[in-house]
Amino acid sequence: MTRSTPFKLKLVLGAVFLSSVSESMISIAFGLKAAAEGQANLLSALLLASLLPQVLLGLWGGKLADTAIRWWWWPLALAFQSLIYCAIAAWTIWPAIILGTLAVSTATALVGPVARKLATHYSTDTQGTGSWLSMIAGLAGVLGLAVGGLLVGQGLVQALLLASSLALFCVALLAFAVSTRDALVVEARETKGALLGFRILSSPQLLGGAGFLFLVCCVLGTSLDDVVSVFVLTGYLHLNETVFGLVSGCWALGIIMGSLLSAKIPAHRPVLPLVASGMLMGAGIFSIAWLLPTALGTAGIYLVAGAGNGIFISLMNSTIMSRVAENQQGRAWAAYGWLVKICLLLGYLAGGLWGSTVPRELMLTSGSIVLGAGAFALVIPRLRGRV
């Protein structure tokens, strides 16, 4: 961040970073705990507890953020999540973990868009802020997974939960500093419902019909790849756990690189680079499944494809921030997040059912879905957004 970045925007980005690190640490901790106990059913329960409230309540949360939000809702929700993790640390049993995850996910679904709305409100450079949000997500994911894996490996699950609780408490304090009555812009009178976000994303002024279809296919294809790539890299490429972790980390490193590069992309017509960056991900997924390269080659492809992912996320962030009115951004962010969660569920479902039997074919399919939808969006300009 430069010196010209508004101080309150720095606080918002810091809050997003700390909460993302906490979420990443908790995710790896519970996942490794279930895996160590050989409880595949618990992994499924965790996934449902994490995603289901956001699928069922996410759109309503976006509507609340635009029409009825109060400045203290977000800080209070963060403080509530901090207390939940303290309670789980005190009773580290699976019923408490599942119920706690469900409660945290519910709170996130209802107030999730607020942080993005505040980032828009305090930002003087939406393209730069979109890049920072993308890079923060990549850094937080890498740091959270590394710290979480280390602590779980040392048998310090309770310490990890308390660290996450402390991080969220700090985020709640930051939220009290930036979430003010004037900062949260809402509609004076409700005119549209919770589905407005989908109409915004698919409007000609934003992504257009073809761009919206590409967004769905891109998220669906990469979600499917998240599951089946594990089987391809370990089964077909014979990577051991250490090498697999290093190779997978190249994608996260690419996200950070792509986030930095996205700030150099002209902001007046972001849809074409958005599609191109998504197709870079699809090409990377397809080429690994088709070519079955060495570990070094796979790492290089992941680095390039991850850069495409970073550019894609950054451009989606900046496009929504710059093209959607503040009093409607809650529903736009909620619709975007809802699509991601639904595609994750579908990708994980397909990967879980067939990932261990036909992983290479599914990985080829996921790459083809992204490339095909991208080609359609490029050749049908009248269906693409005019931005």
Side-chain angles (χ1 to χ4, degrees):
M1 280 174 281
T2 64
R3 291 182 180 179
S4 62
T5 304
F7 176 69
K8 287 197 172 183
L9 176 60
K10 293 179 181 179
L11 294 182
V12 174
L13 295 178
V16 172
F17 177 74
L18 283 176
S19 60
S20 297
V21 170
S22 175
E23 180 182 349
S24 184
M25 287 195 301
I26 292 295
S27 174
I28 189 66
F30 292 162
L32 288 175
K33 178 176 172 61
E37 297 177 6
Q39 299 288 340
N41 58 323
L42 293 178
L43 283 173
S44 300
L46 277 172
L47 176 65
L48 286 175
S50 176
L51 292 180
L52 197 58
Q54 298 187 51
V55 170
L56 296 178
L57 301 175
L59 296 177
W60 189 45
K63 180 181 177 181
L64 289 176
D66 283 339
T67 60
I69 198 76
R70 299 294 182 267
W71 68 270
W72 45 266
W73 286 12
W74 185 41
L76 190 64
L78 291 166
F80 169 74
Q81 293 172 356
S82 176
L83 290 175
I84 289 294
Y85 286 134
C86 276
I88 297 176
W91 298 285
T92 314
I93 55 177
W94 279 109
I97 291 173
I98 299 298
L99 290 176
T101 301
L102 190 67
V104 168
S105 181
T106 299
T108 300
L110 294 178
V111 299
V114 173
R116 300 300 179 97
K117 288 192 67 166
L118 290 172
T120 301
H121 180 79
Y122 290 118
S123 176
T124 56
D125 175 16
T126 54
Q127 187 171 9
T129 302
S131 299
W132 275 108
L133 285 169
S134 175
M135 188 169 64
I136 282 172
L139 284 171
V142 172
L143 181 60
L145 291 175
V147 174
L150 178 63
L151 292 178
V152 173
Q154 298 297 319
L156 300 174
V157 175
Q158 287 181 316
L160 185 149
L161 288 166
L162 291 174
S164 296
S165 177
L166 178 61
L168 285 173
F169 180 75
C170 292
V171 175
L173 295 178
L174 292 175
F176 272 113
V178 297
S179 182
T180 64
R181 189 186 307 273
D182 295 333
L184 285 173
V185 180
V186 298
E187 290 183 348
R189 183 179 62 184
E190 180 183 346
T191 56
K192 302 290 183 182
L195 299 180
L196 173 66
F198 295 114
R199 294 196 291 273
I200 292 174
L201 292 179
S202 59
S203 67
Q205 289 71 34
L206 209 68
L207 299 179
F212 182 78
L213 174 64
F214 175 72
L215 171 64
V216 174
C217 291
C218 194
V219 177
L220 181 60
T222 52
S223 299
L224 178 59
D225 175 68
D226 282 346
V227 178
V228 300
S229 62
V230 176
F231 297 100
V232 173
L233 268 60
T234 57
Y236 285 83
L237 302 183
H238 308 292
L239 304 185
N240 59 41
E241 293 179 355
T242 301
V243 176
F244 172 77
L246 291 173
V247 169
S248 300
C250 289
W251 187 290
L253 180 60
I255 290 178
I256 297 171
M257 293 170 53
S259 300
L260 292 172
L261 290 172
S262 68
K264 308 296 183 182
I265 296 174
H268 62 288
R269 295 185 70 84
V271 171
L272 286 177
L274 181 75
V275 173
S277 61
M279 292 182 72
L280 200 59
M281 286 190 283
I285 294 169
F286 184 88
S287 61
I288 289 175
W290 181 261
L291 300 174
L292 297 177
T294 63
L296 185 60
T298 302
I301 293 173
Y302 266 17
L303 193 66
V304 175
N309 195 6
I311 294 172
F312 181 88
I313 296 172
S314 298
L315 290 177
M316 277 301 304
N317 289 339
S318 60
T319 299
I320 293 176
M321 293 172 71
S322 62
R323 303 282 175 169
V324 181
E326 275 193 65
N327 61 356
Q328 295 182 342
Q329 282 201 4
R331 281 162 288 186
W333 288 116
Y336 179 36
W338 191 86
L339 284 174
V340 171
K341 297 300 185 298
I342 284 291
C343 291
L344 280 173
L345 281 173
L346 293 176
Y348 288 165
L349 177 62
L353 290 175
W354 303 294
S356 60
T357 55
V358 287
R360 188 183 181 190
E361 290 80 357
L362 286 179
M363 195 170 180
L364 287 168
T365 300
S366 65
S368 300
I369 289 173
V370 178
L371 290 172
F376 177 75
L378 291 176
V379 300
I380 311 292
R382 62 189 178 86
L383 293 179
R384 200 172 55 235
R386 297 196 301 269
V387 294

